[in-house]
Coordinates of all heavy atoms in Angstrom, one line a residue:
E1 N -114.5 -40.9 -38.3 CA -113.7 -39.7 -38.0 C -114.1 -38.5 -38.7 O -114.1 -37.4 -38.1 CB -112.2 -40.1 -38.2 CG -111.2 -39.0 -37.8 CD -109.8 -39.4 -38.1 OE1 -109.4 -39.4 -39.3 OE2 -109.1 -39.7 -37.1
A2 N -114.4 -38.6 -40.0 CA -114.7 -37.4 -40.8 C -116.1 -36.9 -40.4 O -116.3 -35.7 -40.5 CB -114.7 -37.8 -42.3
R3 N -117.0 -37.8 -40.1 CA -118.4 -37.3 -39.7 C -118.8 -37.9 -38.3 O -119.5 -38.8 -38.2 CB -119.3 -37.8 -40.8 CG -119.2 -37.1 -42.1 CD -119.7 -35.7 -42.1 NE -121.1 -35.6 -41.5 CZ -122.2 -35.6 -42.3 NH1 -122.1 -35.8 -43.6 NH2 -123.4 -35.5 -41.7
P4 N -118.2 -37.3 -37.3 CA -118.6 -37.8 -35.9 C -120.0 -37.6 -35.6 O -120.5 -38.1 -34.6 CB -117.6 -37.0 -35.0 CG -117.3 -35.7 -35.8 CD -117.2 -36.2 -37.2
D5 N -120.7 -36.8 -36.4 CA -122.2 -36.5 -36.1 C -123.0 -37.7 -36.6 O -124.2 -37.7 -36.3 CB -122.6 -35.2 -36.7 CG -122.4 -35.2 -38.3 OD1 -121.3 -35.8 -38.7 OD2 -123.2 -34.7 -39.0
L6 N -122.4 -38.6 -37.4 CA -123.2 -39.7 -37.9 C -123.1 -40.9 -37.0 O -122.1 -41.1 -36.2 CB -122.7 -40.1 -39.3 CG -122.9 -39.0 -40.4 CD1 -122.3 -39.5 -41.7 CD2 -124.3 -38.6 -40.6
R7 N -124.0 -41.9 -37.2 CA -124.0 -43.1 -36.5 C -123.4 -44.2 -37.5 O -124.0 -44.5 -38.5 CB -125.3 -43.5 -36.0 CG -125.4 -44.8 -35.2 CD -126.7 -45.1 -34.5 NE -126.8 -46.3 -33.8 CZ -127.2 -47.5 -34.3 NH1 -127.8 -47.5 -35.5 NH2 -127.2 -48.5 -33.5
V8 N -122.2 -44.7 -37.1 CA -121.6 -45.7 -38.0 C -121.8 -47.1 -37.4 O -121.4 -47.3 -36.2 CB -120.1 -45.4 -38.2 CG1 -119.4 -46.5 -39.1 CG2 -120.0 -44.0 -38.9
V9 N -122.2 -48.0 -38.2 CA -122.5 -49.4 -37.8 C -121.8 -50.4 -38.7 O -121.8 -50.1 -39.9 CB -124.0 -49.7 -37.7 CG1 -124.3 -51.1 -37.3 CG2 -124.7 -48.7 -36.8
M10 N -121.3 -51.5 -38.2 CA -120.7 -52.5 -39.0 C -121.5 -53.8 -38.8 O -121.9 -54.1 -37.7 CB -119.2 -52.8 -38.6 CG -118.3 -51.6 -38.9 SD -116.6 -52.0 -38.5 CE -116.2 -53.1 -39.8
A11 N -121.7 -54.6 -39.9 CA -122.3 -55.9 -39.8 C -121.4 -56.9 -40.6 O -121.2 -56.7 -41.8 CB -123.7 -55.8 -40.4
A12 N -120.9 -57.9 -39.8 CA -120.0 -58.9 -40.4 C -120.6 -60.3 -40.2 O -121.1 -60.6 -39.2 CB -118.6 -58.8 -39.9
R13 N -120.4 -61.1 -41.3 CA -120.9 -62.5 -41.1 C -120.1 -63.3 -40.1 O -120.7 -64.1 -39.3 CB -120.7 -63.2 -42.5 CG -121.2 -64.7 -42.5 CD -121.2 -65.3 -43.9 NE -119.8 -65.2 -44.5 CZ -119.6 -65.5 -45.7 NH1 -120.6 -66.0 -46.5 NH2 -118.4 -65.4 -46.2
G14 N -118.8 -63.0 -40.0 CA -118.0 -63.6 -38.9 C -117.6 -62.5 -37.9 O -118.4 -61.7 -37.5
G15 N -116.3 -62.6 -37.5 CA -115.8 -61.6 -36.6 C -115.2 -60.4 -37.4 O -114.9 -60.5 -38.6
V16 N -114.9 -59.3 -36.7 CA -114.3 -58.2 -37.3 C -112.8 -58.1 -36.8 O -112.6 -57.9 -35.6 CB -115.0 -56.9 -36.9 CG1 -114.3 -55.7 -37.5 CG2 -116.5 -56.9 -37.5
G17 N -111.9 -58.3 -37.7 CA -110.5 -58.3 -37.3 C -110.1 -59.4 -36.4 O -109.0 -59.3 -35.8
D18 N -110.8 -60.5 -36.4 CA -110.5 -61.6 -35.5 C -109.3 -62.4 -35.9 O -108.9 -63.3 -35.2 CB -111.8 -62.5 -35.3 CG -112.3 -63.1 -36.7 OD1 -111.7 -62.7 -37.7 OD2 -113.2 -63.9 -36.6
W19 N -108.7 -62.2 -37.1 CA -107.5 -62.9 -37.5 C -106.3 -62.2 -36.9 O -105.2 -62.8 -37.0 CB -107.4 -62.9 -39.0 CG -107.2 -61.5 -39.6 CD1 -106.0 -60.9 -39.9 CD2 -108.2 -60.5 -39.9 NE1 -106.2 -59.7 -40.4 CE2 -107.5 -59.4 -40.4 CE3 -109.6 -60.5 -39.8 CZ2 -108.2 -58.3 -40.8 CZ3 -110.3 -59.4 -40.3 CH2 -109.6 -58.3 -40.8
L20 N -106.4 -61.0 -36.4 CA -105.3 -60.2 -35.9 C -104.8 -60.8 -34.5 O -105.5 -61.5 -33.9 CB -105.7 -58.8 -35.7 CG -106.1 -58.0 -36.9 CD1 -106.7 -56.7 -36.5 CD2 -104.9 -57.8 -37.8
H21 N -103.5 -60.5 -34.2 CA -103.0 -60.8 -32.9 C -103.9 -60.2 -31.8 O -104.5 -59.1 -32.0 CB -101.5 -60.4 -32.8 CG -100.9 -60.8 -31.5 ND1 -100.9 -60.1 -30.3 CD2 -100.2 -62.0 -31.2 CE1 -100.2 -60.8 -29.4 NE2 -99.8 -61.9 -29.9
E22 N -103.9 -60.7 -30.6 CA -104.8 -60.3 -29.6 C -104.5 -58.8 -29.2 O -105.4 -58.1 -28.8 CB -104.7 -61.1 -28.3 CG -103.3 -61.3 -27.8 CD -103.2 -62.3 -26.6 OE1 -104.1 -63.0 -26.4 OE2 -102.2 -62.2 -25.9
K23 N -103.2 -58.4 -29.3 CA -102.9 -57.0 -29.0 C -103.6 -56.0 -30.0 O -104.1 -55.0 -29.7 CB -101.4 -56.7 -29.0 CG -100.7 -57.4 -27.8 CD -99.2 -57.0 -27.8 CE -98.4 -57.5 -29.0 NZ -97.0 -57.2 -28.9
A24 N -103.5 -56.5 -31.3 CA -104.2 -55.7 -32.3 C -105.7 -55.7 -32.2 O -106.3 -54.7 -32.4 CB -103.7 -56.2 -33.7
Q25 N -106.2 -56.8 -31.8 CA -107.7 -56.9 -31.6 C -108.1 -56.0 -30.5 O -109.2 -55.3 -30.7 CB -108.1 -58.3 -31.3 CG -107.9 -59.3 -32.5 CD -108.5 -60.7 -32.2 OE1 -109.6 -60.8 -31.6 NE2 -107.8 -61.7 -32.5
A26 N -107.4 -55.9 -29.4 CA -107.8 -55.0 -28.3 C -107.7 -53.6 -28.8 O -108.6 -52.8 -28.4 CB -106.8 -55.3 -27.1
H27 N -106.7 -53.2 -29.5 CA -106.5 -51.9 -30.0 C -107.7 -51.5 -31.0 O -108.2 -50.4 -30.9 CB -105.2 -51.7 -30.7 CG -104.9 -50.3 -31.1 ND1 -104.4 -49.4 -30.2 CD2 -105.1 -49.6 -32.3 CE1 -104.2 -48.2 -30.8 NE2 -104.7 -48.3 -32.1
L28 N -108.1 -52.5 -31.8 CA -109.2 -52.2 -32.7 C -110.5 -52.0 -32.0 O -111.2 -51.1 -32.3 CB -109.3 -53.4 -33.7 CG -110.4 -53.4 -34.7 CD1 -110.2 -52.2 -35.6 CD2 -110.5 -54.7 -35.5
R29 N -110.8 -52.8 -31.0 CA -112.0 -52.6 -30.2 C -112.0 -51.2 -29.5 O -113.0 -50.6 -29.4 CB -112.1 -53.7 -29.1 CG -112.5 -55.1 -29.7 CD -112.9 -56.1 -28.6 NE -111.8 -56.4 -27.7 CZ -110.9 -57.3 -27.9 NH1 -111.0 -58.1 -28.9 NH2 -109.9 -57.6 -27.0
A30 N -110.8 -50.8 -29.0 CA -110.7 -49.5 -28.4 C -111.0 -48.4 -29.4 O -111.7 -47.4 -29.1 CB -109.4 -49.3 -27.7
A31 N -110.5 -48.6 -30.6 CA -110.8 -47.6 -31.7 C -112.3 -47.5 -32.0 O -112.8 -46.4 -32.1 CB -110.0 -47.9 -32.9
F32 N -112.9 -48.7 -32.1 CA -114.3 -48.7 -32.4 C -115.1 -47.9 -31.3 O -116.0 -47.1 -31.5 CB -114.9 -50.1 -32.5 CG -114.5 -50.8 -33.8 CD1 -114.4 -52.2 -33.8 CD2 -114.2 -50.1 -34.9 CE1 -114.1 -52.8 -35.0 CE2 -113.8 -50.7 -36.1 CZ -113.8 -52.1 -36.1
E33 N -114.7 -48.2 -30.0 CA -115.4 -47.5 -28.9 C -115.1 -46.0 -29.0 O -116.0 -45.2 -28.7 CB -114.9 -48.1 -27.6 CG -115.6 -47.5 -26.4 CD -115.1 -48.2 -25.1 OE1 -114.4 -49.2 -25.2 OE2 -115.5 -47.7 -24.0

């Protein structure tokens, strides 16, 4: 958000936020997009 000109990448051994309820997971994916 602070630097929209940069390319931000995440690398996780497992899932990202996969412990959250499905509604929260969907919101998280939308935010990443």
Side-chain angles (χ1 to χ4, degrees):
E1 182 178 75
R3 289 290 306 272
D5 59 321
L6 298 178
R7 181 171 180 262
V8 178
V9 178
M10 297 183 70
R13 180 171 58 184
V16 176
D18 56 356
W19 68 92
L20 298 168
H21 186 270
E22 57 185 16
K23 290 187 294 186
Q25 290 188 45
H27 187 82
L28 180 61
R29 288 192 295 270
F32 286 156
E33 184 176 349

